[in-house]
Amino acid sequence: MKKVFVAGATGWAGSEISRAIFNNDEMILTGGLSLSQDGKNLSEILSLKSDNNIPLFKSIEDAIENVEFDILVDFTKPEIAKHNIHNALQKGKKVIIGTSGLTDKDYEEIERIANENNTSVLAAGNFALTVVLLQKFAEMAAKYIPHYEIIDYADAKKIDAPSGTVAELAYRLSKVQKPELSVAIEDTIGNKETRGATINGIQVHSVRLPGHTLGVETIFGLKGEKLILRHDSGESADPYVKGVLLAIKNIDTFKGLRRGLDSIMEF
């Protein structure tokens, strides 16, 4: 039986993930992290059918000291997540990262700590199956089409840019083939910033507007033709829940850091 602790347990995604873990026969939800609900019972907050207290804590240190768990699932904010992840790994816990905004440098440090403590980390910019497929299709296209850019869509209130989904996609595509530019960014006439940000050698454009939940569009172009791969998330957290449960079930199958849900899936 896997004992799981959720950081961000009362948030939009974390609350649905907590419910799913609680209702899974192969898992035990032992507690959660919530700055605003410290000391309260997660069972009561989420209306879980349990007579047991599932405690909420304001810090990962308090949680590690007071509850037993094998796996940390983190859906918080980047600065909080780094602190949670480092502390959990140093105690030999396995970690699943759904928090966006962590950088490649952050992941290098996380990988080092995981290896030093002989434990496992799975990080996914997005746990939805449709995103996994978009990443796979985009990697296939990038092998043959050397001209492409990425558009990142999210709600106006999302403070990090690009999203974790797009950051992960840019990282992966850069490993396949970095795109060619017909005009170098520094040679752009006018406002160079309108060409977007260069991330891992790829131009990324982040759009933040009301009406968007989360979306990613990868546009590939060749002379006389183009290919557009696009994913849009709805308002439900259900797609992420399924992916996180899959990650929990497979976190014991490797050591070190893996990035992308597909790293534990068969295609």
Side-chain angles (χ1 to χ4, degrees):
M1 192 74 74
K2 297 181 184 295
K3 297 178 180 179
V4 187
F5 182 91
V6 178
T10 59
W12 177 72
S15 59
E16 294 305 315
I17 290 166
S18 296
R19 288 190 180 95
I21 293 169
F22 176 81
N23 291 317
N24 192 291
D25 293 336
E26 300 176 14
M27 305 170 192
I28 299 175
L29 180 63
T30 63
L33 197 69
S34 175
L35 296 178
S36 62
Q37 305 290 340
D38 179 38
K40 296 184 179 180
N41 183 356
L42 185 59
S43 294
E44 295 178 355
I45 293 173
L46 299 185
S47 300
L48 303 177
K49 296 180 179 179
S50 174
D51 295 328
N52 297 326
N53 178 46
I54 302 177
L56 287 168
F57 302 88
K58 65 179 179 181
S59 74
I60 193 66
E61 291 89 345
D62 288 346
I64 290 172
E65 185 176 342
N66 289 283
V67 296
E68 184 179 351
F69 63 94
D70 310 307
I71 302 167
L72 167 68
V73 175
D74 195 290
F75 275 76
T76 58
K77 296 180 179 179
E79 63 277 9
I80 298 172
K82 284 173 61 177
H83 180 77
N84 295 341
I85 294 161
H86 290 183
N87 275 271
L89 292 176
Q90 288 164 358
K91 294 296 183 180
K93 312 292 185 184
K94 302 176 182 68
V95 178
I96 294 167
I97 305 172
T99 300
S100 63
L102 297 174
T103 67
D104 290 339
K105 185 176 181 180
D106 292 330
Y107 282 119
E108 289 175 5
E109 187 175 8
I110 288 168
E111 182 174 26
R112 176 184 60 78
I113 298 172
N115 289 333
E116 288 175 354
N117 291 276
N118 193 35
T119 189
S120 313
V121 182
L122 176 65
N126 196 306
F127 283 90
L129 178 58
T130 49
V131 170
V132 172
L133 292 173
L134 181 143
Q135 291 172 336
K136 282 293 185 182
F137 297 155
E139 286 176 323
M140 292 169 62
K143 290 181 181 179
Y144 302 100
I145 306 176
H147 304 277
Y148 62 89
E149 299 191 7
I150 302 173
I151 304 178
D152 165 35
Y153 300 95
D155 182 82
K157 295 180 180 179
K158 186 173 181 61
I159 62 174
D160 59 300
S163 66
T165 303
V166 169
E168 182 68 27
L169 178 61
Y171 170 80
R172 293 172 61 135
L173 293 184
S174 71
K175 301 298 183 183
V176 178
Q177 178 179 203
K178 292 184 179 179
E180 299 175 7
L181 291 174
S182 298
V183 177
I185 301 302
E186 57 270 23
D187 294 334
T188 301
I189 297 175
N191 193 327
K192 297 178 177 59
E193 285 74 15
T194 61
R195 290 290 290 114
T198 304
I199 300 177
N200 289 313
I202 301 167
Q203 294 311 114
V204 176
H205 313 264
S206 289
V207 177
R208 297 291 181 266
L209 289 170
H212 292 277
T213 300
L214 189 70
V216 53
E217 185 171 291
T218 309
I219 304 175
F220 296 86
L222 289 172
K223 186 177 181 179
E225 58 184 323
K226 65 181 176 181
L227 170 67
I228 299 175
L229 299 175
R230 176 160 177 158
H231 161 84
D232 284 291
S233 295
E235 296 181 355
S236 169
D238 286 350
Y240 313 122
V241 170
K242 296 174 184 177
V244 170
L245 293 181
L246 180 63
I248 292 171
K249 291 177 181 179
N250 289 277
I251 193 70
D252 296 324
T253 61
F254 67 92
K255 296 291 185 182
L257 170 69
R258 290 196 181 181
R259 293 179 66 171
L261 185 61
D262 61 301
S263 67
I264 59 167
M265 297 172 66
E266 295 183 2
F267 285 90

